[in-house]
C-alpha cells in the first residue's frame, strides 16, 4: 500500500478509530469505570458500555460481548440535526460537543442510532464519548483502551496503514454497526471464528 | 424490550399540539377571509384572535424542556440548514410576528381604534399625529397578512412532522408521511378550535343564515381534512409493515404494543372516525337533500373536542412510541 506521506510533504489527515475484538471482551466493565473516572461522568450515566448479543438456538447458544462507545461517525446524524451547531466534527474525525453552545434540546439524542449520548446535568448540556481527546492531544491512548484487561479495545489512526488498527483490519474479517444507515462509524468489530 | 429513557416528554407533545392549533387557526382564518369575505367574517376573526396564543404557550413549554431554558435565543444566532429544528425556530419566529400583527388587525372596532398608525412618512417619528386605521387599510392589511402568513402557517404545521420524520434512526418517524399526517392534523385541530369557540360564543348579529354558512364551511373543511388523514394512516401502516425489519417492528408498538389503545381508541376512533360520523350527519342534508346543514351546538362542540383530543393523542403516541423505536441489530453476522 502506498504511503501518502512519502508522496507529499503534508502528513495525511488522521482518522482516529477503534477496532474491537468481541472475543477478547469478558464484560468486566473496567473500561466503563476507567472512563467515568477519567471524564468525571455523573453517576448513572456512561460514555461507553458493553452490549450483549445473544445468538443461536438451544443447545447451540452463544453470547458475545461488544464494547461500544460513540462511533464518531464520518457522517454524524447528531451533527446534522443540531440547531445551534454545538456538535461539530474535528479534522481528525472526532465528533465533539461545544458545551457552551449546547442548549440541551436533545434532538441529537433522538438522531443517534447508537444511543451514545446522555444529558450531563452538571454541565447542563448533552455529553458523550470524546475519544478522550484531552489524552490524545497529550499523546496518550483513551482511558478505556489503556485499562482493558482482555485487550479487546484497540485504538489508533485508521488512515495510517502501519497503525495497529489498520493492521488488524487488513488481516481480519470485520463488521460495523448500522453502517447501512450511512453514518460511517469509526468503530470496527473483528468477526469471531 | 429495549430500555428507553423518554428524553422528549409531555412538554414536547404539548408544544407540537399547540403549534399545530395556531397554524391551523391562522390558515383557516386566512382561507375564510379569501373565500368568504363578509360571509365568514366571524370565522376569520375567531381564527385570527386565537392563532398566536396556543403557540406562545407551547413555546414556553419547549423552553422548559431545554437543559438551559434561558439560552433558547442561541437558536437565533445561527441558521443550520440541515437541522429541521433550526429552520423550524425561524419559521416559528416569522409565524409569531405575522400572527400577532394579524391578531391586532382583527381586534373588534372600539378597541382597534386605540391602535394608531402613521399615515405619512413625516409622521413616523411623531406618534402624536398617528391615526386609527381606516376600514380600507384594515381590509387590505388583513388580506396581505393572510396571504403572506398562509404558506408560513402551512410550513409550521408541516414542520412539526418533519422535526420527527427527518431522523433516520427512529424507524417509526422516518417516513415522509408523518409530515403530511401532522400537517393535516394541525389544520384539523385549528379548525376544531375555531368550531368550538364558534359554538360557545354568541352568533353574529346578522342572524341564523350566517350561522349555517359558517357551520357548513368549517364542517366541510374539517371533514375533508379528516378523510385526508385517514388516507395517510392506511398507507402509513401498509408501508411500514412491508418495509425493513426495523420499520415493521416499529409499527408493532401501535399494533398490539403499549401504544395500541391510545392510537386505535384515541387517535383513530375518537379523533377521526367519530367526528367524521358526526360531521357526516351534519352535512348529510346538504349533500343529498339540498337543504341547510344540520346544526346543533352540542354535537358541533362534541366533534370539535373529539378532534382536539385525538390530535393531542396523535402527538403523544408518535413522540413516545417513536423514541422506543430504533434500528435493530442483525441477528446473525
Amino acid at each position: 500500500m502506498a504511503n501518502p506521506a512519502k508522496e507529499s510533504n503534508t502528513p495525511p489527515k488522521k482518522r482516529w478509530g477503534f477496532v474491537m475484538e468481541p472475543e477478547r471482551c469478558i464484560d468486566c466493565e473496567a473500561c466503563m469505570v476507567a472512563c467515568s473516572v477519567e471524564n468525571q461522568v455523573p453517576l448513572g450515566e456512561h460514555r461507553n458500555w458493553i452490549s450483549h448479543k445473544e445468538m443461536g438456538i438451544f443447545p447451540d447458544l452463544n453470547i458475545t460481548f461488544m464494547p461500544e462507545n460513540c462511533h464518531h461517525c464520518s457522517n454524524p446524524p447528531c451533527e446534522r440535526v443540531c440547531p445551534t451547531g454545538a456538535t461539530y466534527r474535528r479534522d481528525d474525525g472526532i465528533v465533539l460537543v461545544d458545551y457552551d453552545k449546547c442548549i440541551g434540546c436533545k434532538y441529537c439524542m433522538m438522531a443517534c442510532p447508537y444511543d451514545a449520548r446522555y444529558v450531563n446535568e452538571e454541565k447542563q448540556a448533552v455529553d458523550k464519548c470524546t475519544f478522550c481527546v484531552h489524552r490524545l492531544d497529550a499523546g496518550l491512548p483513551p482511558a478505556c483502551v489503556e485499562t482493558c484487561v482482555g485487550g479487546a479495545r484497540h485504538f489508533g489512526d485508521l488512515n495510517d496503514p502501519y497503525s495497529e488498527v489498520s493492521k488488524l483490519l487488513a488481516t481480519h474479517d470485520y463488521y460495523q454497526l448500522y453502517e447501512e444507515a450511512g453514518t460511517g462509524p469509526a468503530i470496527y468489530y473483528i468477526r469471531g471464528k | 424490550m429495549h430500555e428507553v429513557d423518554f428524553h422528549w416528554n409531555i412538554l414536547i407533545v404539548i408544544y407540537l399540539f399547540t403549534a399545530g392549533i395556531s397554524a391551523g387557526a391562522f390558515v383557516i382564518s386566512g382561507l375564510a377571509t379569501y373565500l368568504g369575505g363578509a360571509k365568514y367574517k366571524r370565522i376569520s376573526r375567531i381564527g385570527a384572535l386565537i392563532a398566536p396564543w396556543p403557540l406562545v404557550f407551547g413555546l414556553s413549554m419547549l423552553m422548559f424542556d431545554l437543559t438551559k431554558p434561558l439560552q433558547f435565543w442561541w437558536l437565533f444566532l445561527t441558521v443550520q440548514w440541515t437541522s429541521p429544528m433550526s429552520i423550524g425556530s425561524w419559521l416559528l419566529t416569522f409565524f409569531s410576528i405575522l400572527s400577532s400583527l394579524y391578531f391586532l388587525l382583527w381586534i373588534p372596532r372600539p378597541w382597534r381604534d386605540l391602535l394608531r398608525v402613521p399615515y405619512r412618512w413625516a409622521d413616523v417619528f411623531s406618534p402624536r399625529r398617528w391615526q386609527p386605521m381606516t376600514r380600507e387599510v384594515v381590509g387590505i392589511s388583513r388580506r396581505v397578512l393572510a396571504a403572506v402568513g398562509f404558506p408560513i402557517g402551512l410550513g409550521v404545521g408541516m414542520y412539526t412532522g418533519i422535526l420527527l420524520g427527518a431522523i433516520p434512526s427512529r424507524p417509526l418517524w422516518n417516513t415522509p408521511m408523518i409530515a403530511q399526517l401532522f400537517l393535516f392534523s394541525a389544520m384539523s385541530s385549528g379548525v376544531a378550535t375555531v368550531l368550538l369557540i364558534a359554538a360557545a360564543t354568541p352568533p353574529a348579529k346578522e342572524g341564523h343564515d350566517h350561522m349555517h354558512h359558517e357551520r357548513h364551511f368549517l364542517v366541510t373543511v374539517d371533514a375533508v381534512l379528516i378523510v385526508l388523514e385517514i388516507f395517510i394512516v392506511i398507507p402509513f401502516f401498509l408501508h411500514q409493515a412491508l418495509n425493513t425489519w426495523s420499520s415493521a417492528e416499529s409499527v408493532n408498538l401501535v399494533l398490539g404494543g403499549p401504544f395500541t389503545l391510545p392510537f386505535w381508541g384515541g387517535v383513530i376512533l375518537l379523533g377521526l372516525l367519530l367526528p367524521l360520523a358526526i360531521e357526516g350527519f351534519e352535512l348529510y342534508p346538504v349533500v343529498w337533500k339540498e337543504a341547510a346543514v344540520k346544526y346543533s351546538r352540542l354535537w358541533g362542540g362534541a366533534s370539535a373536542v373529539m378532534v382536539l383530543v385525538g390530535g393531542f393523542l396523535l402527538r403523544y403516541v408518535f413522540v413516545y412510541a417513536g423514541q422506543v423505536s430504533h434500528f435493530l441489530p442483525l441477528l446473525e453476522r
Side-chain angles (χ1 to χ4, degrees):
Chain A
M1 200 183 286
N3 184 353
K6 284 180 183 164
E7 283 154 26
S8 73
N9 290 327
T10 51
K13 240 202 248 172
K14 278 191 163 52
R15 171 72 168 123
W16 295 114
F18 270 96
V19 171
M20 310 285 195
E21 281 189 84
E23 289 204 326
R24 285 170 170 254
C25 178
I26 57 167
D27 198 15
C28 68
E29 302 189 353
C31 52
M32 294 168 71
V33 176
C35 173
S36 294
V37 173
E38 176 69 33
N39 296 298
Q40 294 295 299
V41 179
L43 275 178
E45 305 293 353
H46 294 285
R47 288 186 181 190
N48 55 3
W49 62 95
I50 294 163
S51 337
H52 295 186
K53 200 168 77 166
E54 285 144 46
M55 289 186 295
I57 298 164
F58 182 82
D60 290 322
L61 294 170
N62 175 316
I63 184 164
T64 306
F65 302 128
M66 296 175 66
E68 213 177 329
N69 42 261
C70 171
H71 288 242
H72 292 264
C73 307
S74 54
N75 180 22
C78 52
E79 182 204 28
R80 178 176 72 77
V81 301
C82 180
T84 60
T87 292
Y88 63 100
R89 192 168 175 273
R90 293 207 327 184
D91 268 355
D92 54 5
I94 300 183
V95 179
L96 294 175
V97 180
D98 181 335
Y99 303 117
D100 292 332
K101 269 193 186 175
C102 174
I103 55 172
C105 71
K106 301 177 273 281
Y107 203 14
C108 52
M109 299 174 71
M110 301 294 134
C112 176
Y114 307 102
D115 281 336
R117 293 172 163 250
Y118 63 93
V119 177
N120 190 328
E121 297 290 350
E122 289 164 18
K123 289 178 184 161
Q124 291 199 321
V126 176
D127 209 350
K128 67 176 198 67
C129 161
T130 61
F131 271 177
C132 279
V133 70
H134 56 291
R135 288 173 61 94
L136 284 186
D137 290 346
L140 295 165
C144 57
V145 176
E146 203 171 57
T147 204
C148 181
V149 296
R153 286 173 170 268
H154 306 274
F155 185 82
D157 181 6
L158 297 166
N159 279 353
D160 172 7
Y162 301 109
S163 69
E164 184 193 4
V165 284
S166 295
K167 285 178 186 167
L168 276 168
L169 293 182
T171 51
H172 291 76
D173 199 6
Y174 58 83
Y175 60 90
Q176 293 186 284
L177 292 183
Y178 310 137
E179 58 175 323
E180 64 275 19
T183 51
I187 301 184
Y188 292 81
Y189 293 90
I190 299 293
R191 202 183 293 275
K193 287 178 194 93
Chain B
M1 194 82 239
H2 187 73
E3 208 181 303
V4 181
D5 288 333
F6 291 106
H7 296 293
W8 276 2
N9 54 28
I10 199 76
L11 297 177
I12 300 288
V13 177
I14 294 173
Y15 152 67
L16 294 177
F17 178 61
T18 54
I21 292 182
S22 281
F26 187 97
V27 167
I28 191 72
S29 168
L31 209 60
T33 306
Y34 271 90
L35 292 184
K39 197 163 66 165
Y40 300 145
K41 201 169 178 184
R42 205 166 75 105
I43 301 175
S44 301
R45 173 157 284 148
I46 293 173
L49 292 184
I50 58 174
W53 308 111
L55 184 62
V56 168
F57 179 71
L59 287 176
S60 61
M61 293 292 117
L62 189 61
M63 240 178 83
F64 287 118
D65 185 66
L66 299 177
T67 59
K68 293 178 190 157
L70 296 178
Q71 262 87 317
F72 74 93
W73 51 272
W74 288 4
L75 287 165
F76 304 109
L77 299 180
T78 175
V79 182
Q80 300 287 329
W81 293 105
T82 55
S83 170
M85 193 183 282
S86 177
I87 305 295
S89 317
W90 285 105
L91 211 55
L92 286 171
T93 308
F94 295 133
F95 181 79
S96 303
I97 295 168
L98 281 173
S99 64
S100 304
L101 292 175
Y102 194 61
F103 167 85
L104 292 177
L105 288 171
W106 276 102
I107 296 175
R109 195 56 195 272
W111 296 289
R112 192 226 299 158
D113 289 344
L114 296 175
L115 216 85
R116 285 154 182 269
V117 291
Y119 272 90
R120 287 179 304 166
W121 284 111
D123 293 347
V124 170
F125 295 108
S126 41
R128 246 181 283 169
R129 271 184 247 152
W130 292 10
Q131 283 159 19
M133 286 177 285
T134 60
R135 205 173 262 276
E136 294 76 50
V137 170
V138 170
I140 294 168
S141 313
R142 282 174 182 168
R143 282 176 164 263
V144 169
L145 278 181
V148 177
F150 196 78
I152 296 183
L154 290 178
V156 168
M158 212 185 291
Y159 149 72
T160 57
I162 290 174
L163 180 76
L164 305 183
I167 297 181
S169 54
R170 306 287 162 194
L172 185 68
W173 293 345
N174 190 221
T175 144
M177 278 178 221
I178 197 168
Q180 303 158 37
L181 185 58
F182 273 52
L183 169 65
F184 293 132
S185 168
M187 295 301 119
S188 178
S189 305
V191 174
T193 310
V194 174
L195 261 169
L196 194 61
I197 292 174
T201 51
K205 284 170 197 147
E206 287 89 350
H208 217 59
D209 225 29
H210 268 263
M211 294 276 286
H212 280 96
H213 284 309
E214 281 174 21
R215 185 83 200 145
H216 189 172
F217 176 68
L218 287 175
V219 169
T220 309
V221 172
D222 201 39
V224 168
L225 288 169
I226 289 177
V227 170
L228 286 172
E229 281 181 71
I230 290 172
F231 283 106
I232 292 166
V233 168
I234 295 168
F236 173 82
F237 279 97
L238 288 174
H239 261 254
Q240 291 287 77
L242 300 173
N243 207 324
T244 57
W245 186 40
S246 301
S247 300
E249 282 289 308
S250 78
V251 282
N252 281 344
L253 292 162
V254 286
L255 296 173
F259 298 96
T260 306
L261 183 66
F263 188 78
W264 294 101
V267 179
I268 301 297
L269 187 66
L270 191 68
L272 298 179
L273 297 181
L274 285 179
L276 186 64
I278 293 175
E279 284 165 2
F281 176 71
E282 286 175 308
L283 286 174
Y284 164 75
V286 182
V287 181
W288 277 282
K289 292 182 183 165
E290 291 176 16
V293 64
K294 259 203 184 69
Y295 179 75
S296 138
R297 275 193 177 191
L298 181 70
W299 285 112
S303 73
V305 170
M306 286 180 198
V307 166
L308 287 173
V309 172
F312 183 82
L313 286 173
L314 175 79
R315 271 110 188 135
Y316 164 80
V317 167
F318 270 93
V319 166
Y320 278 82
Q323 291 181 70
V324 181
S325 80
H326 57 104
F327 282 155
L328 294 167
L330 291 178
L331 284 179
E332 195 72 78
R333 292 210 74 134

